Amino acid sequence: MVTVRHEFHDPDSWLDIQKRYFTPEECKQFQLAIDIAKQYYTGQKFYPTDVDLMLHALTCANKVAELNLFADAVIATILFAVPKFCPDDWRQELAKFEPKVIELIDGVTRVTKIRRLGALADVENEDEKKVQVEVVRKMLLAMVSDIRVVLILLVGRGELMLHLKSCKDTELIHKIAVETVEIFSPLANRLGVWQIKWELEDLSFKYMHPDQYKKIAKLLDETREERLEYIENIKQYLSSQMQESGIKDFQISGRAKHIYSIWKKMSKKNYDFDDLYDIRAVRVLVPEVRDCYTVLGILHTKYSPIPGEFDDYISNPKANNYQSLHTCVTGPDDRVIEIQIRTFAMHTHAEYGVAAHWRYKEFGDKHVENNADFAEKLAWLRQILDWREELTDHKDITDIFKNEIFKDTIYVMTPNGKVISLPNGSTAVDFAYAVHSAIGHKCRGAKVDGQIIPLATPLKNGQRVEILTVKSGGPSINWIHDGLVKSPKAISHIRRYIREQNYEEFFANGSEIFERELSKFPANIRPELSQIVSALGYTDEKNICVDLGKGDLSPVSIREAINKLIKKEQHSKVEDIDLDKAAFEFKPNASVNKSKSLSGIMVDGVSGIVTHIAKCCKPLPGDSIIGFVTQGHGVAIHRNNCVGLKRQAKLFPQKVVQVSWGDSTHKAVFNVDVEVIANDRSGLLRDLTDLFSREKINIDSLRTSSKNNRAIMIFTIQIQGGAFDFTPLISRIFTINGVLEVLRK
C-alpha cells in the first residue's frame, strides 16, 4: 500500500518523494504531467484562495497517492484544471496519457460544472432542503463512471477548506462551507474516508459558526493529538487483558470526537459539554457473543462505569436489528471514554446492512426503508475501499471502481438547479411530469444545456433541462404507445388525463339517459339502484353514466338488466320491454317514439346519445338504418343492407341497436359517395366537376384510378339532410361524353 506523508515545496521535491513509491515509468508520466501543468498553471491561483494553483494540484495529488488510487488518478489530479485553460482541445493536449486519465479528468470537469455554489441557501423549507441535499449526493455518485472522481473531488475540497480563510468574499466563504458540510462530508463518510470527513466538517463549522467553534475548542482542555494518544493507551491495556483472557482474534479501534460532531450532538440533544461521554471512543470487535461480555467485565473491573450509560443491544437489539454493547467508563485522569463492543458479524451488519451507521446518523429511523436500496449501493462502495488493499492488479481495481451500480437511475436539473431523479432512459417528457403534471401535459419541446432536442431523446446524468410548453392542449396516448415516456409517474398522469377528457360532458348526457331509462319502470317494482349497478357489471353509478354518454353502453342494456332483476326478484309478470328482435333483425325502421324525435338520431327511441355516420356505407335520411355500438366512438349508423355491418353483427349481435332518423336531420349536411365509370379521355374530370358546380353540389373529396383505358372516379359529395332525389343528378351525369355507369356507393 502506498503511504505518502512527506513534505515538499516545489515540483522537483514532490517528484523525489513519489519515486520512492511508484515505478520509474509512472514517475516519467508524473514528470510529463507536471511539464504540461506548468504551461497553464504558472502565475495562476486556486480560486477563490490565494494558493498557487500548481502547489494546490501537487498537494491534492499527494493525498490521492495516500488513498492508494493508483498513478492514473494521481496524474488526473495534477492536470484537473487544464480543461479550464484550453476548453476546446484539452483532450488532444493530453492525448499522450492513457484513456483512463482523460476519463477521470472529464469526470471531475463535468461534476464541477453541475454544482451551483450556494443553491442550497435558496431552499427555505428544511424538509425539501434535506431531500435536495440527498439527491445531489446521489447525482455526484451516479454521473461519474469511475468512483475515484468523487474521491479526487473530496481531496480537492479538503484543500480548498484548509486555505479558504484567504478568500476575501465572506458570503462566498459561507456558501462553500454550507455546501461542504451538507454534501461533501457525508459523501466522504459513505465512502469510508473518515480523515477527510472530519476535516471537512471541522473546517466548515469553523467558517459557519466561528464563535461556537472557538468555544468548544477552548472547552477541550487537550489537543486532538493528545486525545488520540490517550485512546492509544486504552487500546494497549485492553489488548493485553484480552489476550490473557484467551481472546485471540480481535480488533480494537479508537477515535477522538472532533469539534463539529461535539457541537452537533450538543445542539441535537440539548446537552452541555459536561454531558458528553463520547468525546473519546473505542470500538472492540471479537469473534463470539460471549467474548463481548468478557471484554465488558474487563472494562468494568478496571474502570468505573458511569451509571445510566450502559446499553445492551445484543440481548435487546434495536428495531433495525442493530446489536452491540455500549458503555461509558471513567478512565485514567478521570476522563470519560465511550466503548462499543460487538462481534465481527454484528459490525458487518451495522456497517453494510440495514443498520448502516451513516443511515441512522444522517436520516433517522423514519428514513431507513426509503433509503434501503441506495444504502446497499453505498455499502458496496465501502467494501471496495476495504478490498483495494487485497487487490494488486491495477486493471482489476479500476474495473471494480467503475460505478455500474447507479445505472438504473439518472439525475438531471431544472434551470434553477433543483435536481430531479428519473429512471434510466427517461426523456424530457418524463422530466416535465416529474416537475409538475401541468407542465407535462403542456410539454411540446425541450432544451438540454441550452440546445433544443427531440422529445424522444434519452436524458443523461447532470444535464440541465428546460421544458418548452404551449398554452393549451394536452398529452397524447401515443406518448405511451410510442415509448416517449418511461417513468411510472408520467405514464400514470397521461392515462389519467386521457380518461378525464370530456368526462363532464359524457357524464351529463349519460345521467339524462340513465334517469330516462329508470323512469320507464314504476317505482314500486323498480329494483334498488345498487342492484342495477351490480347487474350491469359496474361498481359505481357514475361510470355507468359516463359509458352511456360515450356510447360504450346502450340504453337497451339498462332495460334488459332491469327486466331480468324484476323477473328474478319479484316473480311478477311485467310487460317485457325487449327490443332484441328489433335490434337483431335488419328491417326498415319502425316509428319509435316519434314525439321525442326533436333532434339528431334516435337510439332505441332516445336522443342525446353520441352517434356518427359509418364511412363504409354513408346512410342518408330516408335510408333504412341500423346502429352498432362501437368502443369509445358511440353508435355507428349503417344502412340496413351494409355488408360490413352484417359481418360485424354476426360476431357481436349484442352490439346491434335500433335507430331512427330524428325530425331535425333534414337540417344537417351529409356526405355520400357517387361512383362514375367512364372511358378515359382528356377533359373528363373537368366536365364532371363543372357539372357538380352547375348543380350547386359541393365536392368534399375525390378518388380516381385508371386501368385498361377505363376511368373510375368516386366523388364524395355533400347534400342537405332532407329526401334527396338522385335520379335527375344521375341522368345529367350520363350526358357527359364517355360515361358508362353511375351508381351511389
Side-chain angles (χ1 to χ4, degrees):
M1 178 176 178
V2 178
T3 303
V4 183
R5 300 187 183 278
H6 300 277
E7 295 296 329
F8 58 89
H9 55 275
D10 58 21
D12 291 336
S13 58
W14 180 90
L15 193 59
D16 288 340
I17 294 171
Q18 313 312 318
K19 288 177 181 178
R20 307 175 193 175
Y21 305 101
F22 291 92
T23 66
E25 184 58 36
E26 289 171 335
C27 289
K28 287 181 181 179
Q29 292 289 297
F30 293 162
Q31 182 64 66
L32 178 59
I34 290 172
D35 292 341
I36 294 175
K38 283 180 178 178
Q39 299 177 32
Y40 298 103
Y41 295 177
T42 300
Q44 300 291 339
K45 301 292 184 181
F46 176 56
Y47 179 83
T49 72
D50 62 359
V51 176
D52 179 77
L53 182 57
M54 188 72 204
L55 185 61
H56 168 80
L58 292 176
T59 303
C60 291
N62 197 59
K63 292 189 176 182
V64 167
E66 291 179 17
L67 289 173
N68 194 24
L69 300 185
F70 297 103
D72 53 0
V74 176
I75 296 170
T77 307
I78 296 172
L79 300 171
F80 83 99
V82 171
K84 177 181 178 181
F85 298 100
C86 50
D88 297 328
D89 57 355
W90 69 268
R91 289 178 177 82
Q92 182 178 353
E93 178 72 12
L94 304 181
K96 299 175 183 178
F97 300 100
E98 60 179 276
K100 177 60 66 174
V101 173
I102 306 298
E103 180 184 324
L104 290 169
I105 296 174
D106 183 57
V108 172
T109 303
R110 290 193 304 119
V111 171
T112 303
K113 282 183 178 179
I114 62 97
R115 288 192 300 99
R116 296 178 71 245
L117 285 177
L120 299 175
D122 300 331
V123 183
E124 296 181 0
N125 184 284
E126 282 301 316
D127 290 336
E128 182 182 350
K129 184 176 182 179
K130 289 178 181 178
V131 171
Q132 270 297 292
V133 167
E134 178 58 18
V135 175
V136 169
R137 293 174 193 160
K138 292 179 180 179
M139 181 176 68
L140 289 172
L141 290 173
M143 69 178 295
V144 296
S145 60
D146 191 322
I147 200 62
R148 291 180 296 168
V149 168
V150 179
L151 295 171
I152 292 171
L153 284 170
L154 291 175
V155 168
R157 178 53 60 120
E159 278 299 299
L160 169 62
M161 298 306 294
L162 280 172
H163 300 284
L164 193 57
K165 59 177 180 264
S166 64
C167 175
K168 306 302 180 184
D169 188 338
T170 55
E171 184 178 350
L172 180 59
I173 290 176
H174 180 75
K175 289 180 178 180
I176 292 174
V178 170
E179 184 186 55
T180 300
V181 79
E182 295 193 352
I183 294 178
F184 286 93
S185 63
L187 277 179
N189 177 34
R190 297 178 187 194
L191 296 181
V193 279
W194 319 113
Q195 185 73 11
I196 294 178
K197 172 188 178 295
W198 72 255
E199 183 179 70
L200 292 177
E201 288 178 341
D202 272 6
L203 291 171
S204 298
F205 179 57
K206 182 178 181 179
Y207 294 121
M208 293 168 62
H209 305 285
D211 293 338
Q212 289 93 327
Y213 181 90
K214 292 177 183 177
K215 180 179 179 181
I216 295 174
K218 188 176 181 180
L219 287 171
L220 291 170
D221 57 351
E222 55 188 351
T223 65
R224 180 178 178 83
E225 288 71 21
E226 289 173 338
R227 295 200 302 276
L228 288 173
E229 183 180 352
Y230 183 90
I231 289 171
E232 190 61 32
N233 293 332
I234 298 291
K235 288 168 59 179
Q236 291 177 5
Y237 170 77
L238 269 177
S239 177
S240 63
Q241 293 298 308
M242 289 169 68
Q243 289 175 350
E244 290 182 11
S245 299
I247 304 175
K248 296 181 179 179
D249 185 14
F250 60 85
Q251 181 178 317
I252 306 175
S253 59
R255 61 109 176 96
K257 203 172 187 71
H258 54 285
I259 293 176
Y260 174 78
S261 183
I262 293 172
W263 172 80
K264 192 174 181 181
K265 190 165 187 177
M266 290 173 64
S267 302
K268 185 177 181 180
K269 297 190 176 183
N270 198 27
Y271 280 179
D272 291 328
F273 184 80
D274 293 336
D275 297 327
L276 299 179
Y277 295 141
D278 60 346
I279 292 175
R280 306 163 196 84
V282 169
R283 177 177 294 153
V284 183
L285 305 182
V286 291
E288 304 291 339
V289 172
R290 64 174 180 268
D291 299 329
C292 295
Y293 292 97
T294 300
V295 175
L296 182 67
I298 294 172
L299 285 166
H300 284 187
T301 300
K302 175 68 173 178
Y303 304 115
S304 300
I306 296 176
E309 292 300 321
F310 170 67
D311 293 296
D312 186 350
Y313 295 119
I314 295 179
S315 300
N316 299 289
K318 289 186 177 182
N320 58 11
N321 207 29
Y322 171 86
Q323 290 183 289
S324 182
L325 294 177
H326 291 189
T327 186
C328 289
V329 298
T330 303
D333 302 326
D334 292 327
R335 293 174 179 174
V336 176
I337 184 165
E338 180 195 60
I339 300 172
Q340 297 178 357
I341 311 165
R342 63 181 72 149
T343 66
F344 288 101
M346 293 173 188
H347 181 68
T348 299
H349 178 75
E351 287 294 298
Y352 307 130
V354 296
H357 186 65
W358 62 266
R359 192 188 309 149
Y360 67 74
K361 287 273 283 188
E362 293 171 31
F363 297 115
D365 293 339
K366 65 179 181 179
H367 293 288
V368 167
E369 290 185 7
N370 295 336
N371 290 276
D373 292 339
F374 191 71
E376 291 177 6
K377 296 176 180 181
L378 267 298
W380 181 85
L381 294 177
R382 279 185 174 179
Q383 292 175 43
I384 288 177
L385 294 167
D386 291 340
W387 295 338
R388 69 185 179 201
E389 295 184 22
E390 302 172 14
L391 298 171
T392 56
D393 184 69
H394 185 168
K395 182 179 180 181
D396 289 344
I397 187 69
T398 53
D399 286 343
I400 292 177
F401 269 126
K402 294 286 288 185
N403 194 359
E404 302 293 331
I405 61 173
F406 291 97
K407 286 191 173 181
D408 56 347
T409 305
I410 61 170
Y411 300 90
V412 290
M413 292 183 296
T414 64
N416 63 2
K418 181 178 180 180
V419 180
I420 304 293
S421 60
L422 295 169
N424 190 27
S426 292
T427 66
V429 179
D430 293 293
F431 175 86
Y433 277 104
V435 175
H436 197 282
S437 59
I439 296 177
H441 292 336
K442 296 181 180 181
C443 170
R444 293 298 181 273
K447 288 183 178 180
V448 170
D449 296 332
Q451 301 294 320
I452 294 178
I453 63 164
L455 284 178
T457 305
L459 299 176
K460 297 179 181 179
N461 274 313
Q463 290 181 326
R464 192 179 297 270
V465 184
E466 179 184 355
I467 298 299
L468 308 177
T469 60
V470 293
K471 292 184 178 180
S472 60
S476 167
I477 195 66
N478 290 328
W479 288 6
I480 296 176
H481 297 330
D482 296 341
L484 197 63
V485 292
K486 301 292 184 183
S487 62
K489 182 176 181 180
I491 293 172
S492 174
H493 279 301
I494 292 171
R495 286 177 173 164
R496 185 182 303 119
Y497 181 92
I498 299 299
R499 285 198 304 268
E500 292 175 353
Q501 288 305 289
N502 301 317
Y503 176 88
E504 295 299 330
E505 181 182 347
F506 289 144
F507 178 71
N509 292 337
S511 296
E512 181 182 347
I513 297 168
F514 191 47
E515 290 298 327
R516 188 181 301 157
E517 291 304 315
L518 292 177
S519 67
K520 293 178 180 179
F521 296 86
N524 62 328
I525 65 170
R526 187 191 309 157
E528 294 290 334
L529 182 60
S530 60
Q531 292 178 296
I532 299 172
V533 171
S534 179
L536 290 167
Y538 288 82
T539 58
D540 193 295
E541 176 190 351
K542 290 183 178 180
N543 292 332
I544 293 177
C545 295
V546 171
D547 282 359
L548 280 170
K550 290 165 62 177
D552 290 347
L553 180 67
S554 67
V556 70
S557 299
I558 307 289
R559 294 198 294 272
E560 287 175 349
I562 295 174
N563 274 323
K564 288 179 181 179
L565 287 171
I566 292 173
K567 289 178 180 180
K568 179 179 179 181
E569 295 180 12
Q570 298 187 3
H571 303 287
S572 60
K573 293 184 178 180
V574 179
E575 182 181 0
D576 187 11
I577 311 175
D578 189 359
L579 298 181
D580 281 355
K581 187 175 180 181
F584 298 154
E585 291 182 0
F586 298 109
K587 62 180 182 180
N589 296 332
S591 249
V592 182
N593 205 4
K594 285 287 186 179
S595 63
K596 295 187 178 181
S597 300
L598 299 177
S599 63
I601 295 174
M602 310 293 289
V603 178
D604 284 328
V606 179
S607 64
I609 295 178
V610 178
T611 61
H612 68 276
I613 300 298
K615 295 181 180 179
C616 55
C617 56
K618 293 186 174 68
L620 295 173
D623 293 334
S624 296
I625 54 175
I626 201 77
F628 187 84
V629 179
T630 64
Q631 183 69 31
H633 300 285
V635 179
I637 309 302
H638 294 261
R639 280 192 271 175
N640 270 358
N641 60 354
C642 177
V643 176
L645 173 66
K646 290 180 178 180
R647 184 166 52 250
Q648 290 295 315
K650 290 180 181 179
L651 296 173
F652 308 101
Q654 74 278 7
K655 292 189 175 185
V656 179
V657 294
Q658 185 72 13
V659 296
S660 61
W661 298 106
D663 287 344
S664 63
T665 51
H666 66 280
K667 299 178 182 179
V669 175
F670 293 85
N671 286 350
V672 62
D673 289 342
V674 176
E675 184 178 55
V676 178
I677 302 175
N679 292 320
D680 199 4
R681 65 173 175 82
S682 177
L684 174 64
L685 180 59
R686 180 199 61 214
D687 293 342
L688 287 167
T689 54
D690 286 347
L691 171 64
F692 285 118
S693 178
R694 289 195 301 273
E695 295 295 323
K696 294 182 170 49
I697 295 175
N698 184 46
I699 300 174
D700 183 70
S701 63
L702 170 64
R703 289 169 288 165
T704 65
S705 63
S706 181
K707 187 176 182 180
N708 298 329
N709 206 34
R710 289 286 175 89
I712 302 174
M713 291 170 283
I714 300 176
F715 293 87
T716 300
I717 61 174
Q718 295 179 335
I719 64 171
Q720 197 70 21
F724 184 82
D725 188 357
F726 278 92
T727 304
L729 176 63
I730 292 174
S731 297
R732 292 184 180 92
I733 293 175
F734 269 116
T735 64
I736 302 295
N737 182 28
V739 173
L740 302 175
E741 188 176 354
V742 182
L743 66 153
R744 176 189 170 195
K745 291 285 289 182

